[in-house]
Amino acid sequence: MFTRLTLPAIASCLFASIGGVSAATATQFPAKVCDVTQYGAEGHRLQIALNTDSFQQAINDCAAAGGGTVQVPAGNYLVNPLFLKSNIRLNLAKNATIVASSEVSAYRASQESRYAEAENGWLPFISIADASNVAITGEGTIDGQGAVWWERWRENIRATGKKAGTDRPRLIYITRANNILVDGIHLTNSPSFHIVMRDASNVDVNNTRITSPWHAPNTDAIDPIDSRNIRITNNYIDCNDDHIAIKAEKPSPRYPDGTADNIYIANNKLLQGRGISIGSETSGGVNNVLVENNQFIGSMYGIRIKSPRGKGGEVKNIIYRNITMVDVDVPLVFSGYYQAAPIVQAEVDKMVAEGGFTLGEQIYPPDSDARQPFDSVKTPHFSNITVSNLTSTGNSKAAAFIIGVPEAPLSGFTFENVRIDAQQGIRIRNAQLKTSGLTLHIDQGQTMILDRGAMID
């Protein structure tokens, strides 16, 4: 006997205009149940003892028996990194909380666990590596206890005077895996990114709540990297950094249309955070993305495609439709420049005095910036991008930025039935924009700020 988990069917017309996408993930598990408390786990309110061995043994035994459900009853469980295996469902009951330990050494791989190590050299808290037919479900919570890691990040900046990266563990890391479901749970306080997919396929993140405080650095909610057939639906996201960041880090002859391909993002509620993004790494190519029926409230950004020279590549066949935004600082950003502004304000002031401008934490050169040699896997080049039926109201600082590099102007951009209320208008540089039904309510200055290479139809 098997337990089968399916998501509601995606409409048959999905990607009809830009390609195909596979059906929603259907994971299926044997009826066997391995309750972690039967392996010695104790869910005390004030956790002191680790429950790692009990959890991992339940996972191992269930997998050895052909698969099944590893059940986590209500309670609080302190745990070191865990390794899920094929045909395993980790199910968290209501009021069950798995708390990640903050013991640094636990996140360094042994020879046995090196296969699950993330690209930054850390073990994630929960690994799904070289596996298929895996699910994390239920009404419980996975708490990454990120505050300790965030403070170490700040200490590093204070010591070096330079912005730090994401040299911290991920919360859930899905790599070289297929047919994966994350459904119903609450993920919070990750040391860095909450869910990362790398070289994964057929992954659904549905009906999941992902939260971190505004001061938590680099706490992206969901990052599909070099992955295909991904569905991100019906989620609630309130985080510090990108709500979703699609990345294509390096080209692969196996995926000539793009290493990130066929991605569906729909019916999500997005609060603080930095938008549904593509980039900054796009060298491997991003193709066939449909973003629809999403709601943004109080976000820093709404929709972004962002890549710098050196990490750029081809981004094509992207549709955004039926989107509402309220009090989003900048609703739309499409940029071939993505360079962090210096920490020292005097350096920023000098670059602005030379004709550049800042957007959030990024610095842009003046529009006299020289053309550089084109490289298909280093130069950002975006095409066939459509935004339709978008309404953004409330307190926005600027309507949009559409900024290409001179060696690869952005092409095939279309705005249809787009209404934006903002203090400032749309700034366009090295880009072609076709509009139909574009309505801008701008408080000051021009509705269209046209730099060099701007073309409006």
Side-chain angles (χ1 to χ4, degrees), residues 293-439:
N293 303 322
N294 295 285
Q295 179 184 18
F296 294 82
I297 302 172
S299 309
M300 185 175 182
Y301 301 109
I303 291 166
R304 288 200 293 173
I305 302 177
K306 47 166 178 137
S307 193
R309 287 168 168 151
K311 291 185 178 180
E314 186 174 30
V315 178
K316 62 185 178 181
N317 301 327
I318 317 295
I319 292 177
Y320 306 93
R321 67 190 183 196
N322 304 330
I323 293 171
T324 60
M325 301 183 184
V326 178
D327 294 333
V328 173
D329 282 358
V330 185
L332 301 170
V333 178
F334 303 106
S335 173
Y337 293 98
Y338 191 70
Q339 177 183 343
I343 292 179
V344 179
Q345 186 59 42
E347 297 178 22
V348 175
D349 294 342
K350 181 178 182 293
M351 298 174 78
V352 171
E354 293 171 349
F357 68 92
T358 59
L359 173 59
E361 298 172 356
Q362 278 69 52
I363 187 80
Y364 285 72
D367 70 353
S368 58
D369 180 58
R371 181 191 300 260
Q372 297 186 8
F374 177 84
D375 186 311
S376 63
V377 298
K378 292 183 178 180
T379 303
H381 51 297
F382 317 149
S383 63
N384 194 20
I385 315 293
T386 299
V387 180
S388 65
N389 299 327
L390 180 147
T391 299
S392 179
T393 58
N395 187 28
S396 291
K397 296 177 181 177
F401 290 83
I402 308 173
I403 311 288
V405 293
E407 62 269 23
L410 309 185
S411 63
F413 275 64
T414 302
F415 287 2
E416 300 173 342
N417 298 321
V418 171
R419 175 199 165 179
I420 301 175
D421 300 344
Q423 297 173 25
Q424 300 179 20
I426 298 177
R427 186 163 191 163
I428 305 174
R429 176 190 301 179
N430 297 320
Q432 172 194 60
L433 175 63
K434 181 178 181 180
T435 67
S436 174
L438 174 62
T439 303

Side-chain angles (χ1 to χ4, degrees), residues 229-310:
N229 298 332
I230 308 300
R231 288 155 297 271
I232 301 170
T233 54
N234 307 306
N235 302 293
Y236 175 100
I237 300 175
D238 188 353
C239 65
N240 166 271
D241 213 325
D242 291 330
H243 298 103
I244 298 163
I246 301 166
K247 303 177 185 181
E249 291 192 335
K250 55 186 177 181
S252 169
R254 293 185 299 162
Y255 308 108
D257 289 331
T259 59
D261 197 1
N262 282 354
I263 298 176
Y264 182 57
I265 303 170
N267 304 313
N268 300 289
K269 187 172 184 178
L270 310 166
L271 279 72
Q272 75 169 346
R274 304 193 182 190
I276 295 176
S277 301
I278 297 175
S280 58
E281 299 88 349
T282 60
S283 292
V286 179
N287 182 48
N288 282 357
V289 179
L290 175 57
V291 178
E292 64 178 353
N293 303 322
N294 295 285
Q295 179 184 18
F296 294 82
I297 302 172
S299 309
M300 185 175 182
Y301 301 109
I303 291 166
R304 288 200 293 173
I305 302 177
K306 47 166 178 137
S307 193
R309 287 168 168 151

Side-chain angles (χ1 to χ4, degrees), residues 10-257:
I10 293 176
S12 61
C13 64
L14 175 61
F15 284 108
S17 58
I18 58 173
V21 67
S22 65
T25 298
T27 50
Q28 187 172 350
F29 304 96
K32 182 176 178 62
V33 175
C34 296
D35 187 320
V36 296
T37 61
Q38 295 180 4
Y39 287 79
E42 296 181 347
H44 296 310
R45 181 172 296 278
L46 296 177
Q47 267 297 329
I48 298 175
L50 287 165
N51 291 278
T52 313
D53 291 344
S54 300
F55 271 70
Q56 193 61 55
Q57 193 60 53
I59 293 167
N60 294 348
D61 283 1
C62 218
T69 296
V70 174
Q71 183 67 26
V72 184
N76 296 279
Y77 304 87
L78 183 65
V79 179
N80 278 333
L82 297 173
F83 306 88
L84 298 186
K85 301 185 177 184
S86 294
N87 304 314
I88 290 297
R89 172 172 62 149
L90 179 65
N91 188 69
L92 283 68
K94 185 176 182 179
N95 298 322
T97 300
I98 302 176
V99 181
S101 82
S102 57
E103 183 181 339
V104 173
S105 61
Y107 294 85
R108 294 305 190 185
S110 65
Q111 192 62 38
E112 183 182 25
S113 63
R114 195 164 303 282
Y115 77 100
E117 189 177 61
E119 82 293 342
N120 63 354
W122 293 94
L123 285 174
F125 178 55
I126 295 181
S127 302
I128 304 174
D130 300 316
S132 62
N133 193 46
V134 180
I136 303 174
T137 63
E139 299 179 69
T141 297
I142 299 175
D143 188 334
Q145 274 206 120
V148 174
W149 301 92
W150 308 333
E151 186 54 33
R152 291 180 184 135
W153 175 86
R154 292 184 180 88
E155 289 173 357
N156 184 62
I157 293 178
R158 287 192 290 266
T160 64
K162 298 179 180 179
K163 291 185 178 180
T166 61
D167 187 21
R168 287 160 277 146
R170 315 310 190 204
L171 193 64
I172 297 175
Y173 197 78
I174 303 165
T175 183
R176 304 179 304 278
N178 176 63
N179 204 37
I180 310 298
L181 173 65
V182 179
D183 187 273
I185 60 173
H186 179 200
L187 305 176
T188 188
N189 298 328
S190 177
S192 59
F193 309 149
H194 284 78
I195 300 176
V196 175
M197 311 159 198
R198 182 180 293 275
D199 192 19
S201 59
N202 299 309
V203 180
D204 282 281
V205 181
N206 179 63
N207 193 33
T208 294
R209 185 180 181 90
I210 303 176
T211 62
S212 62
W214 66 268
H215 60 270
N218 310 114
T219 47
D220 291 12
I222 306 169
D223 288 4
I225 303 172
D226 296 337
S227 295
R228 297 147 299 283
N229 298 332
I230 308 300
R231 288 155 297 271
I232 301 170
T233 54
N234 307 306
N235 302 293
Y236 175 100
I237 300 175
D238 188 353
C239 65
N240 166 271
D241 213 325
D242 291 330
H243 298 103
I244 298 163
I246 301 166
K247 303 177 185 181
E249 291 192 335
K250 55 186 177 181
S252 169
R254 293 185 299 162
Y255 308 108
D257 289 331

